[in-house]
């Protein structure tokens, strides 16, 4: 999207925005109808995706703008109901854009499959035995997923852990490290550990119990970094240095206190989840992995870090597990997810992870900047006022007018919105 169109995108009507996207990405009429809600996933399609389907549950889908990731401009689709998320990410991306954008990396798409080995008579000897047969075990998985293997994926390693002090006693866990290429990987990994479990159990002298993927995908990390000049952070009565230092101080709170870190990381996930959801990926798995990773040092803390470099620029970094795919599952079944993936222009799961982790960092910066300066409620409540206006029954022509009045009165409440609407009707 050109900078000129980006600057006025939010002022356009939905149909005008769709036309901008069509011109930019090359969306056809069918894809435009999917985004516009005219076609796409319906009840019949939902019935093939989940049990006892009775319909579909729509969410607003917006485009975060101004994102530059590794030098490439990216359109970022975000499915989210919370006000200020897309606006906040877009504004922080614009600040980042002025400083070269986001620098991001993603590990190879390695997932972990676990096999729980119980009733092992000698844990030490069992691990030795398993290690000696590691290559044989890996070779036995050849051909389990020919398509992945043809692309360079498949079984890569086996690791063995001894778990002590559990409520049922000590046991062994085998970790299968499996390259899933551009898929999220759950089905591939689960199939592989099922295949492997009996032979592993025989070698250990125990029995295989659980055989399942782990959502703590710490072999599949994504990292983003951004540098912003302090002068670019200045606004209103706030100097750039004051904003920069306030952001760092706010981050330090989350780094030290798990009560604050929970909300801090939730702000990161506001951005991450919205893109994961829009692209048909497993946001629950990503959430689980992120919060488990936040406690990797033994206590729950911030997923991000913020500081300043020797020139006084603000520097932010985010590292987290990101198991996302561009093929398989809902990414292919849900028509809207397919269009959203097309909008991003990514060509691999690793590229998608790089975009998503950059959005998480931008969202984190938006929240920290607001908290450290004018407070989170000013911008958030202004957007929330629109939702209150709609809930009160305002027509499309009345929504903005009513929201403005609620903000001016500092009374963003449903009862007050209803009173104002009733007053307008009597005039």
């Amino acid at each position: 999207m050109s900078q000129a169109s980006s600057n006025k995108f939010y002022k356009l009507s939905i149909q005008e925005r769709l036309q901008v996207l069509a011109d930019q990405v090359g969306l056809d009429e069918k894809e435009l109808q999917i985004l516009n809600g005219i076609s796409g996933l319906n009840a019949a399609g939902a019935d093939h995706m989940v049990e006892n389907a009775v319909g579909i549950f729509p969410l607003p889908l917006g485009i975060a703008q101004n994102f530059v990731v590794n030098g490439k401009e990216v359109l970022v689709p975000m499915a989210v109901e919370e006000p200020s998320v897309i606006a906040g990410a877009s504004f922080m991306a614009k600040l980042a854009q002025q400083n070269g954008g986001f620098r991001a990396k993603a590990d190879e798409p390695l997932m972990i499959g676990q096999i729980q080995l119980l009733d092992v008579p000698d844990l030490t000897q069992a691990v030795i035995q398993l290690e000696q047969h590691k290559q044989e075990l890996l070779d036995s998985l050849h051909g389990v997923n020919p398509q992945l293997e043809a692309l360079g994926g498949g079984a890569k390693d086996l690791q063995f852990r001894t778990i002590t002090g559990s409520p049922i006693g000590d046991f062994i866990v085998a970790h299968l490290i499996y390259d899933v290429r551009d898929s999220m990987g759950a089905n591939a990994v689960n199939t592989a550990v099922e295949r492997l479990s009996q032979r592993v159990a025989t070698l250990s002298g125990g029995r295989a119990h659980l055989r399942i993927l782990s959502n703590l995908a710490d072999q599949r990390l994504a990292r983003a970094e951004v540098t912003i000049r302090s002068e670019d952070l200045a606004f209103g009565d706030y100097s750039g240095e004051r904003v920069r230092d306030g952001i760092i101080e706010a981050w330090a709170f989350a780094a030290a206190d798990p009560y604050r870190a929970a909300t801090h990381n939730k702000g990161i996930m506001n951005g991450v989840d919205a893109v994961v959801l829009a692209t048909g990926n497993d946001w629950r798995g990503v959430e689980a992995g992120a919060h488990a990773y936040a406690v990797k040092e033994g206590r729950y803390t911030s997923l991000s870090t913020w500081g300043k470099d020797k020139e006084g620029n603000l520097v932010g970094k985010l590292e987290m597990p990101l198991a996302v795919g561009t093929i398989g599952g809902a990414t292919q079944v849900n028509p809207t997810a397919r269009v959203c993936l097309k909008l991003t222009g990514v060509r691999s799961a690793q590229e998608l992870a790089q975009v998503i982790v950059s959005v998480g960092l931008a969202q984190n910066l938006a929240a920290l900047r607001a908290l450290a300066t004018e407070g989170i409620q000013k911008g958030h409540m202004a957007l929330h006022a629109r939702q209150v206006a709609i809930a009160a029954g305002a027509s499309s022509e009345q929504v903005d007018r009513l929201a403005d009045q609620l903000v001016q009165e500092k009374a963003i409440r449903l009862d007050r919105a209803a009173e104002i609407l009733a007053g307008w009707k009597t005039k």
Side-chain angles (χ1 to χ4, degrees):
M1 186 177 297
S2 69
Q3 190 61 44
S5 63
S6 173
N7 286 335
K8 61 181 181 179
F9 189 73
Y10 72 95
K11 295 182 179 179
L12 302 177
S13 68
I14 287 181
Q15 295 307 317
E16 290 170 333
R17 291 173 194 156
L18 287 172
Q19 190 58 54
V20 169
L21 295 181
D23 295 341
Q24 179 74 13
V25 183
L27 300 180
D28 59 30
E29 187 61 33
K30 182 179 180 180
E31 290 167 328
L32 289 175
Q33 289 182 352
I34 290 171
L35 290 179
N36 210 15
I38 297 173
S39 63
L41 183 64
N42 54 25
D47 197 32
H48 294 295
M49 295 176 69
V50 299
E51 302 78 15
N52 302 331
V54 295
I56 57 174
F57 185 86
L59 279 173
L61 178 68
I63 300 293
Q65 302 169 264
N66 308 315
F67 273 87
V68 174
V69 180
N70 295 333
K72 178 184 175 182
E73 292 187 8
V74 183
L75 293 172
V76 181
M78 301 178 74
V80 63
E81 86 295 344
E82 184 172 335
S84 78
V85 170
I86 297 172
S90 297
F91 184 67
M92 293 306 113
K94 188 173 184 179
L95 292 185
Q97 187 183 66
Q98 297 167 6
N99 296 269
F102 295 90
R103 303 173 294 281
K105 295 180 180 180
D107 292 341
E108 292 294 312
L110 301 178
M111 297 298 289
I112 299 170
Q114 296 185 294
I115 304 172
Q116 181 190 26
L117 297 170
L118 301 177
D119 303 332
V120 177
D122 188 325
L123 297 181
T124 301
Q125 285 302 312
V127 170
I128 292 172
Q129 179 83 338
L130 289 165
E131 288 283 1
Q132 289 175 345
H133 289 80
K134 178 189 288 190
Q135 194 56 52
E136 170 206 323
L137 292 166
L138 290 171
D139 291 344
S140 72
L141 292 174
H142 181 69
V144 170
N145 197 315
Q147 285 184 310
L148 278 180
E149 292 170 19
L151 295 171
K156 299 300 180 184
D157 196 13
L158 266 170
Q159 300 166 358
F160 305 100
R161 301 167 53 218
T162 300
I163 304 295
T164 59
S166 88
I168 59 169
D170 301 343
F171 56 89
I172 293 173
V173 178
H175 275 198
L176 172 64
I177 311 302
Y178 203 87
D179 187 327
V180 297
R181 296 289 84 199
D182 287 325
S183 66
M184 193 286 282
N187 289 332
V189 172
N190 289 340
T191 298
V193 291
E194 289 279 359
R195 172 77 68 90
L196 200 62
S197 61
Q198 187 54 57
R199 179 59 177 154
V200 169
T202 299
L203 288 168
S204 72
R207 63 181 175 92
H209 190 41
L210 297 193
R211 306 168 299 280
I212 187 68
L213 168 102
S214 171
N215 285 120
L216 177 49
D218 60 3
Q219 304 285 313
R220 196 178 184 178
L221 300 177
R223 305 166 187 84
E225 182 175 346
V226 68
T227 302
I228 298 179
R229 294 186 299 266
S230 61
E231 55 264 34
D232 291 338
L233 293 166
F235 71 100
D237 295 330
Y238 295 93
S239 69
E241 290 77 10
R242 181 181 174 188
V243 176
R244 178 200 63 200
D245 293 346
I247 289 170
I248 295 170
E249 291 164 349
W251 160 76
F253 186 5
D257 177 35
Y259 289 91
R260 171 65 200 130
T263 308
H264 174 95
N265 289 340
K266 186 266 184 184
I268 292 171
M269 302 311 292
N270 276 346
V272 169
D273 287 347
V275 189
V276 172
L277 191 57
T279 55
N281 277 285
D282 183 0
W283 63 269
R284 299 161 304 278
V286 170
E287 277 273 350
H291 294 296
Y293 194 68
V295 75
K296 67 183 186 298
E297 301 298 335
R299 65 179 182 85
Y300 189 83
T301 188
S302 167
L303 286 166
S304 63
T305 59
W306 292 92
K308 58 183 179 181
D309 61 18
K310 60 183 180 180
E311 286 82 29
N313 302 312
L314 178 69
V315 179
K317 299 178 182 181
L318 174 60
E319 178 182 271
M320 60 180 291
L322 260 178
V324 293
T326 57
I327 61 173
T331 60
Q332 300 300 307
V333 175
N334 190 326
T336 308
R338 293 201 302 270
V339 178
C340 286
L341 280 169
K342 182 175 181 178
L343 287 173
T344 66
V346 302
R347 297 182 179 180
S348 68
Q350 285 176 281
E351 257 193 276
L352 180 59
Q354 291 166 2
V355 171
I356 294 172
V357 73
S358 299
V359 175
L361 188 57
Q363 202 69 55
N364 186 216
L365 178 57
L368 290 175
R369 176 182 176 273
L371 285 165
T373 55
E374 57 192 4
I376 200 75
Q377 288 298 78
K378 182 176 181 180
H380 182 80
M381 294 308 289
L383 290 167
H384 178 59
R386 293 172 56 85
Q387 293 185 339
V388 173
I390 294 169
S395 66
S396 57
E397 294 80 16
Q398 294 173 321
V399 168
D400 287 338
R401 178 186 170 196
L402 179 54
D404 288 343
Q405 184 167 336
L406 293 172
V407 170
Q408 289 172 6
E409 294 182 4
K410 297 182 179 179
I412 306 175
R413 306 189 316 271
L414 187 60
D415 61 327
R416 178 56 186 146
E419 288 177 4
I420 295 171
L421 281 176
W424 290 350
K425 291 178 181 178
T426 60
K427 292 181 180 179

